[in-house]
Amino acid sequence: PYIGKIKMTQETLTKITQLQSLAWTFPLLALCFLVLFEIHRPAHNACFNPLRKNTQMCWILYGLLFAFVGKIVESAWWFIPWTLNYIDHPRWAEFNDLGVYINIVFRQGFFTVAAYCHLRAFIPPKKDNGSLCFVHWVLITSFVMGQVYMLALLDIKPIK
């Protein structure tokens, strides 16, 4: 009954999508927590048991740990400002603006570490294997490129 009264505009579609994003946060968080719970014992056995130590599996599990912890914190955070935005709370912009601090640590930071861990799992650090050196080169080069991009943006529009 309520749906029939909604006029479909771009703004309405955005609000419906926003509500679905908020609704999907619940299963996302639940399943991410479940992943962390389920990998706890295999991680302990693979990485801390001297009789069954498996370095490749450790790197995979470390990557999963960083990826899922990062996703949990990031998603839980963004649930707050998006909810505040939907209900037209006067402080939503304040919470939205704080998101950059969450993103740099838990999105860019944790996901970069997770990607590195997964690459380490499949690229062994052998002396005759230049692949891991290439991964390090890509990491450093892309970091430098990002810093150059940041400096270019500061040149275009300085911080006041």
Side-chain angles (χ1 to χ4, degrees), residues 35-130:
V35 166
L36 291 177
F37 177 77
E38 290 297 328
I39 68 170
H40 174 264
R41 188 163 313 286
H44 188 270
N45 288 339
C47 303
F48 301 110
N49 184 338
L51 300 175
R52 299 195 301 184
K53 189 159 176 110
N54 181 336
T55 305
Q56 184 179 27
M57 183 58 75
C58 287
W59 281 111
I60 291 170
L61 293 169
Y62 291 150
L64 289 172
L65 177 72
F66 275 101
F68 282 93
V69 167
K71 192 64 193 165
I72 287 169
V73 174
E74 178 208 9
S75 294
W77 170 259
W78 284 110
F79 183 83
I80 298 166
W82 286 11
T83 299
L84 294 177
N85 176 271
Y86 183 78
I87 63 173
D88 295 323
H89 194 280
R91 293 185 61 197
W92 88 266
E94 177 185 338
F95 280 85
N96 190 64
D97 290 347
L98 292 173
V100 70
Y101 302 107
I102 299 296
N103 283 357
I104 197 164
V105 175
F106 295 101
R107 181 183 289 172
Q108 284 85 3
F110 273 50
F111 276 86
T112 299
V113 171
Y116 179 81
C117 289
H118 284 103
L119 288 167
R120 281 297 304 265
F122 297 104
I123 302 172
K126 296 177 184 172
K127 298 278 186 212
D128 59 343
N129 184 351

Side-chain angles (χ1 to χ4, degrees), residues 116-150:
Y116 179 81
C117 289
H118 284 103
L119 288 167
R120 281 297 304 265
F122 297 104
I123 302 172
K126 296 177 184 172
K127 298 278 186 212
D128 59 343
N129 184 351
S131 297
L132 189 56
C133 288
F134 178 70
V135 169
H136 291 157
W137 181 85
V138 168
L139 176 63
I140 292 166
T141 302
S142 60
F143 179 79
V144 170
M145 288 172 58
Q147 298 305 305
V148 169
Y149 178 73
M150 178 196 66

